[in-house]
Each structure stands twice: as C-alpha cells, then as structure tokens.
Amino acid sequence: MSAHFRRRLNRREALGLLGAASAAVSAACSGDTPTSPSATTTSTTTTTTTTTGTTTTAEACAVSPTETLGPYPSLGDYVRSNITDGKPGTPLRLTLTVVNASSGCAPVSGANVEIWQCDHAGVYSEYGTGRGQTFLRGLQVSDAQGQVTFDTIYPGWYQGRATHIHVEVSMGGRSIKVTQIAFPEDISAQVYSTGVYASHGLNSTSNARDGIFADSLSQEMITISGSPASGYTGTFTVGVSF
C-alpha cells in the first residue's frame, strides 16, 4: 500500500487528534464518539432549465451543505478506488460528481475527492479498535466529467448518528467542501438484517433525528439501487462554489 500512501499535512493530523480528544464517552464498537454536529450552512441556489422535446424542467443547482469533519478524519492520503481492505459487507459502488454551482453546475475536474466511513460494526480505521488499520478510506482525483468512483461496502452505524459517509473535496491544497452522504432508512433496514450486519442490528437513530441531516436531508441523500444479495450502486453530487 506504500505506493498509494502520502503522509497528510499537519493540518489533517491536528484535526484528527483534536476530534479524537473531544470525543465523549464510548460509541458503539469504535471506542470513540463523534463530536457534536456543527451547524449546517447552505450557499445560494441558482436554477438551470433543461428542455427535452416538449417537456421543460427546472433543476436546482446548489452548493452542498457544509457539515462537520467529525472526529475520525484520515491521517493519511490513501489514493485508491477500492477502499475495502478486505472488510466484509454488502458491496457498494459509489460514484461522486463534483460540480461548480457558480458556473451552472459545470463538472469540476482535477479535484481531490476523499471519503471515509465506518465498517459494518460501526468502527472507523485509525481510531479506537481500528487503530493501525486503514480500511474504508480513500481518495481519487475527479476526471473530465467531475467524477470519481469508489468500491466500498454499505456503511454500518454507531450510536447517535444516522447511517452516513463523509466526503471532503480539496483543490490546490485547500479544502473547499466537507459534507456527508445520507442513506434511505428502508434500504439500511434491509441491509442491517442480513449477513455480517445482522448481529449489530438496526440503527436506532433516524435521519430525521440526526443532528447533521435533520435540516438538510434532501440535499444529502444518496441515489441508490440494488439489493443486499447483489450489492448496490450509488451516486451523489457534491456542489461547490469558486
């Protein structure tokens, strides 16, 4: 893995240590709890019009809500598309598209897009019982269509948070968006009743009761299809502004 690893700048390391230190007592299996959610901020929304045949539809072009980095950010850059590191779980192929809301949602190429998530039991690598491991963390550079694709697993959950994946977009060494991806509760319930997820049970925190998603769920929900047996494909658009 050393060929695909770059040491993170001190800023990231400091954020990770700060988040871990501020974590309160005991969360699920990880031994660390998330920090309190930061306020969600949403930037200006513009509107573009698309015409197909005789049908005209208006599509909102918006900056994604900004969310807390959380206490489990990556301490290194893991440049790879398959981030499972052998972790068991229902396969999820996740495609993210970065768009510039200030330019009619034009695709953003050359952006560093990083994701991180917990495993089926609610554990994050590099922290708590996942210390010394790097599973379910990865970074890719967006292509000409503004896209990156990760092969991962359906995320598990831990006490106090709805099911989610973290996303950070950076350009020129500067972080320009930190947000999170939410998951439909009916699909999560199906996944969590099968395979390695079953022993951990259903997530007791709904999207509506989650401090991150409660006021911005419609802007942070993944588009997903598939089944626990065959795996899932999901898409998510990250709106930035520059």
Side-chain angles (χ1 to χ4, degrees):
M1 182 179 63
S2 57
H4 301 286
F5 171 81
R6 299 196 306 271
R7 188 64 183 167
R8 176 72 71 176
L9 296 175
N10 289 337
R11 179 191 73 85
R12 169 71 88 190
E13 204 162 58
L15 283 171
L17 293 173
L18 177 62
S22 64
V25 251
S26 169
C29 307
S30 65
D32 298 297
T33 37
T35 54
S36 299
S38 66
T40 299
T41 58
T42 305
S43 300
T44 306
T45 298
T46 59
T47 300
T48 59
T49 301
T50 303
T51 303
T52 307
T54 57
T55 304
T56 301
T57 58
E59 297 177 347
C61 180
V63 175
S64 296
T66 295
E67 306 292 11
T68 177
L69 193 69
Y72 309 122
S74 299
L75 302 181
D77 288 337
Y78 307 101
V79 183
R80 55 190 182 175
S81 58
N82 188 319
I83 66 173
T84 57
D85 272 5
K87 273 289 175 180
T90 299
L92 170 63
R93 172 160 284 191
L94 176 63
T95 298
L96 294 91
T97 303
V98 183
V99 299
N100 186 356
S102 297
S103 298
C105 273
V108 177
S109 63
N112 288 340
V113 183
E114 182 177 15
I115 68 170
W116 63 100
Q117 65 177 87
C118 67
D119 70 1
H120 64 278
V123 176
Y124 280 87
S125 63
E126 299 191 320
Y127 298 86
T129 60
R131 194 176 304 277
Q133 303 177 69
T134 61
F135 56 82
L136 304 178
R137 301 178 181 276
L139 182 151
Q140 289 283 290
V141 178
S142 61
D143 63 17
Q145 287 72 50
Q147 294 186 338
V148 296
T149 297
F150 293 96
D151 287 311
T152 183
I153 62 170
Y154 199 95
W157 61 274
Y158 52 94
Q159 193 65 40
R161 280 303 316 275
T163 303
H164 65 282
I165 290 178
H166 297 265
V167 181
E168 181 173 21
V169 178
S170 302
M171 294 190 74
R174 181 174 65 93
S175 177
I176 59 173
K177 178 56 61 178
V178 176
T179 193
Q180 297 185 26
I181 303 173
F183 286 77
E185 291 166 5
D186 58 339
I187 290 180
S188 293
Q190 292 176 34
V191 173
Y192 296 157
S193 63
T194 64
V196 294
Y197 301 89
S199 61
H200 194 45
L202 300 183
N203 192 345
S204 57
T205 303
S206 67
N207 289 324
R209 293 177 62 85
D210 183 90
I212 298 294
F213 297 135
D215 60 352
S216 56
L217 183 59
S218 63
Q219 294 173 276
E220 295 176 287
M221 181 62 69
I222 191 173
T223 299
I224 192 167
S225 62
S227 70
S230 63
Y232 290 90
T233 58
T235 59
F236 187 78
T237 298
V238 183
V240 300
S241 179
F242 59 87

